[in-house]
Amino acid sequence: MSLLAMQGSVELGIIYAIMALGVFISFRTLNMPDLTVDSSFTLGAAVSAMLCTMGHPLLAIPAAMLAGWLAGNVTALLNTKLKIQPLLAGILVMLGLYSINLRVMFNRANIPLLNQPTVFSSLQGTSLESHAQWLIPLVLLIAVILILYLFLQTRFGLVLRATGDNDQMVRSVGVNTDTTILLGLGLANCLVAFSGALIAQYQSFADVSMGVGMVVIGLASVIIGEVLFGINSLLRRLIAVVLGAILYRFVIAVALHLGMPPTDLKLISAVIVTMALAAPVIKAGLISRRKRHSRRSVHKEG
Amino acid sequence: MLKINGLSKTFGLGSINEKLAVNNVNLTLQAGEFVTVIGGNGAGKSTLLNCIAGVHEPDQGSIFLDSMDITFWPEYKRSQYIGRVFQDPLKGTAFDMTIEQNLAMAYAKGKPLGLQWGVRKADAAMFRDRLARLELGLEDRLKQKVGLLSGGQRQAITLLMATIVEPKLLLLDEHTAALDPSAAKHVLRLTRELVEQYQLCTLMVTHNMKNALEYGTRTIMMHDGSIILDIAGEERREMTVEKLIDLFGRRSGQELDNDRLLLS
């Protein structure tokens, strides 16, 4: 694999890591598999691309984040106020947002950003120009990790983490879990849209179906990170998610390099996540089988 | 002070499983009163507690805490004034978080929820002090996850969390029923110490008749959703488990058919 392709997959991994951190918030701290991600990623990209074509690449980022935040809020309200299961609430918002995303993109399926100024061109004319593609996402990612690390240790952050652990306990210390879910899913989808906004500008286009399967990629990153890099401390968990995201991109790049058709990507993603989710069961099964096997051999000897 | 007027709660209204769980209950707890609640399965003890805590909305009646009408307050809002310990030791704490983080969340009760640092140094020192009084050696394990602790240790921590901000009312729903006898005894002793220290208005549901008479200042017995016995003072001091069983038979017109209640 060429150095350029490797660098490209690391760059992509860094940007996707922000999305994976959003999935970490909903999946791990709130204990909700939030499918809104698929469409809030696209929403972020769409808002970002539209504002780029209007000449506001910097404004595009916070605008996309706000849009993602609101999308997460809608899912949260469907869940908390209308008592729709989290999975179904996410699916409903995902479906609805598809139409909204098309509207944001003026009913075009994709928006090319060729020759448009983006955040990546903001370093043009400085000595860092040639490094913008990885430097800007890296700086943003580090900022996101630091903010999350601090935030998750604040009074509100603790309660947010406890909501996924034990919502009964959170209510019994006087906190409304509807509020923590509202803000938690807002934050999660804000990060997802942030990532989508950066990807659109990085790739110089937005496509209405670019978010399909994104939640699975996010889950894959979270789980791969946990399995390979541990869950001992909060900071370690956050960094594990990032490394998981980069590693995932890397695996995909290698697979493509070895001749896998790009259309098989989603199948591979699904298989990777299935294996990661099933790992504990398979491991337990193997151990139990080994035990039975060794007992049988003891019987034979005796 | 807690004042309950004409409280009723029916589950599955209109269905074949309709069950009148709490039937026109009137109950007043004075400040500092420690009331133990006994009764067989389905007597309505837990439903009564859950109505007070806000888990169930009552069909009729009112609940006043001090001068506040909390009848229709959401659960989380009442929790600012009510401390609770559940039967299930898993319910009272967040398992994937540390002891000090759990205590910090409980200690933030009634305070604005914002971006203040979660576990402040001064608070951690206070937590250590309070944990030491539990006599379980938890004061040196502040940064350990609660999920690693035993049921008894978790109930002790939940008890501390329920009282770390002095509540107006403490609700204990068979909080020692899932523990082994020695842990149960320890948690009961801690309960008595905390209640006496802060003169907490307390409602404790128990299946153990001996405990019901041994702990607290007043005992009520429930049957079919109603209070059929309410004793305190001299009368309660002279009460024995045998007399209580006898009284139950006469008042309810039934033999006490609950093994768990009899044997314990």
Side-chain angles (χ1 to χ4, degrees):
Chain A
M1 197 166 68
S2 72
L3 204 62
L4 199 66
M6 267 168 68
Q7 192 192 334
S9 64
V10 172
E11 285 166 11
L12 271 178
I14 290 172
I15 303 179
Y16 278 113
I18 297 176
M19 181 274 298
L21 286 167
V23 171
F24 173 78
I25 295 286
S26 52
F27 185 60
R28 280 298 182 229
T29 69
L30 284 177
N31 198 16
M32 282 182 164
D34 175 27
L35 298 188
T36 320
V37 168
D38 274 25
S39 59
S40 60
F41 185 84
T42 314
L43 179 64
V47 169
S48 171
M50 283 318 291
L51 281 167
C52 276
T53 59
M54 293 170 191
H56 301 292
L58 288 178
L59 179 68
I61 306 290
M65 289 167 80
L66 178 67
W69 179 283
L70 293 175
N73 283 170
V74 175
T75 305
L77 290 173
L78 291 184
N79 173 232
T80 58
K81 298 301 173 197
L82 303 181
K83 307 291 175 207
I84 299 172
Q85 295 165 17
L87 214 53
L88 209 48
I91 290 175
L92 290 172
V93 173
M94 178 170 80
L95 187 68
L97 268 185
Y98 188 85
S99 301
I100 291 179
N101 287 342
L102 273 172
R103 273 178 191 263
V104 170
M105 295 161 78
F106 290 128
N107 286 320
R108 281 173 295 170
N110 55 63
I111 302 173
L113 294 176
L114 293 171
N115 303 320
Q116 296 278 355
T118 65
V119 286
F120 298 98
S121 56
S122 60
L123 290 180
Q124 243 163 30
T126 69
S127 56
L128 295 171
E129 184 182 338
S130 57
H131 301 295
Q133 296 282 43
W134 63 269
L135 198 59
I136 290 175
L138 185 64
V139 169
L140 291 172
L141 174 65
I142 290 171
V144 168
I145 293 174
L146 273 179
I147 290 170
L148 278 184
Y149 177 64
L150 294 174
F151 165 72
L152 288 173
Q153 294 183 81
T154 63
R155 196 177 277 175
F156 186 80
L158 290 184
V159 171
L160 188 73
R161 288 155 72 186
T163 303
D165 249 17
N166 184 349
D167 56 337
Q168 173 70 69
M169 174 261 168
V170 172
R171 280 192 297 278
S172 62
V173 296
V175 176
N176 189 354
T177 44
D178 289 3
T179 311
T180 54
I181 291 172
L182 183 75
L183 297 178
L185 285 187
L187 173 65
N189 285 289
C190 170
L191 290 174
V192 171
F194 184 13
S195 172
L198 285 175
I199 285 286
Q201 297 196 20
Y202 176 87
Q203 298 180 333
S204 292
F205 77 90
D207 185 286
V208 76
S209 62
M210 66 193 285
V212 174
M214 204 49 69
V215 68
V216 175
I217 296 174
L219 289 175
S221 308
V222 170
I223 297 167
I224 292 173
E226 281 174 357
V227 170
L228 295 182
F229 305 105
I231 52 168
N232 281 336
S233 69
L234 180 60
L235 189 60
R236 189 158 176 169
R237 288 191 84 157
L238 294 174
I239 291 173
V241 173
V242 171
L243 294 178
I246 293 171
L247 192 67
Y248 176 85
R249 276 292 132 197
F250 210 71
V251 169
I252 295 294
V254 169
L256 288 174
H257 177 72
L258 294 176
M260 185 188 75
T263 43
D264 287 350
L265 266 182
K266 303 242 187 283
L267 179 64
I268 301 296
S269 306
V271 170
I272 290 176
V273 172
T274 305
M275 288 197 308
L277 286 173
V281 179
I282 294 169
K283 202 170 152 192
L286 286 177
I287 290 172
S288 147
R289 202 175 128 180
R290 201 175 306 145
K291 269 191 219 153
R292 263 177 290 164
H293 191 75
S294 65
R295 199 164 71 183
R296 208 173 299 145
S297 53
V298 169
H299 276 298
K300 269 180 203 158
E301 282 164 24
Chain B
M1 195 192 74
L2 176 74
K3 194 168 168 59
I4 298 170
N5 293 316
L7 193 79
S8 293
K9 175 70 189 175
T10 305
F11 288 112
L13 200 66
S15 76
I16 43 166
N17 293 321
E18 187 175 303
K19 161 90 180 148
L20 181 60
V22 172
N23 184 9
N24 193 25
V25 164
N26 294 297
L27 181 68
T28 302
L29 265 68
Q30 300 302 333
E33 210 166 26
F34 183 174
V35 178
T36 56
V37 187
I38 45 174
N41 286 335
K45 310 175 303 284
S46 287
T47 308
L48 176 65
L49 238 65
N50 281 332
C51 282
I52 299 170
V55 178
H56 303 316
E57 197 171 277
D59 300 329
Q60 272 168 19
S62 61
I63 305 168
F64 281 84
L65 190 58
D66 283 352
S67 55
M68 300 175 289
D69 181 356
I70 62 167
T71 316
F72 297 107
W73 282 22
E75 184 185 354
Y76 76 90
K77 199 173 160 195
R78 308 178 193 210
S79 297
Q80 304 217 342
Y81 305 105
I82 299 177
R84 270 195 289 169
V85 185
F86 312 89
Q87 179 175 353
D88 182 353
L90 305 179
K91 265 191 170 180
T93 44
F95 70 94
D96 202 27
M97 300 177 71
T98 64
I99 294 178
E100 65 176 4
Q101 285 169 342
N102 271 282
L103 289 171
M105 281 185 275
Y107 190 54
K109 214 186 225 190
K111 301 189 183 84
L113 189 65
L115 299 179
Q116 310 89 334
W117 197 243
V119 186
R120 287 177 302 184
K121 274 223 171 74
D123 293 345
M126 189 270 283
F127 297 157
R128 179 183 296 270
D129 200 44
R130 298 290 296 266
L131 283 166
R133 284 192 241 164
L134 300 180
E135 293 169 17
L136 290 167
L138 295 172
E139 60 273 20
D140 299 319
R141 300 168 68 179
L142 275 168
K143 293 199 189 295
Q144 273 189 20
K145 287 190 177 171
V146 168
L148 299 169
L149 304 180
S150 72
Q153 289 169 326
R154 291 177 73 154
Q155 283 308 64
I157 288 178
T158 309
L159 194 60
L160 178 53
M161 285 169 66
T163 52
I164 198 161
V165 172
E166 200 177 311
K168 290 183 189 293
L169 176 68
L170 180 62
L171 298 177
L172 309 168
D173 190 0
E174 297 196 47
H175 66 310
T176 59
L179 306 180
D180 66 75
S182 73
K185 208 170 169 187
H186 189 76
V187 169
L188 275 173
R189 189 169 63 76
L190 290 172
T191 307
R192 170 141 67 191
E193 282 171 14
L194 282 165
V195 170
E196 281 175 2
Q197 185 182 353
Y198 300 104
Q199 286 295 302
L200 296 175
C201 189
T202 304
L203 209 50
M204 176 171 99
V205 171
T206 174
H207 256 97
N208 188 318
M209 289 195 157
K210 199 163 140 277
N211 286 344
L213 293 174
E214 192 180 334
Y215 294 86
T217 57
R218 178 179 164 194
T219 297
I220 61 176
M221 186 183 253
M222 289 187 71
H223 180 70
D224 277 349
S226 305
I227 295 176
I228 56 167
L229 181 79
D230 188 344
I231 51 172
E234 194 64 31
E235 188 187 5
R236 184 169 180 271
R237 267 192 294 280
E238 286 169 5
M239 186 60 68
T240 61
V241 173
E242 290 73 30
K243 276 201 246 174
L244 207 55
I245 292 169
D246 185 48
L247 262 175
F248 178 88
R250 273 189 277 147
R251 297 266 170 109
S252 68
Q254 281 182 15
E255 286 292 300
L256 200 55
D257 57 352
N258 190 326
D259 289 347
R260 190 146 77 101
L261 203 56
L262 274 173
L263 294 173
S264 53

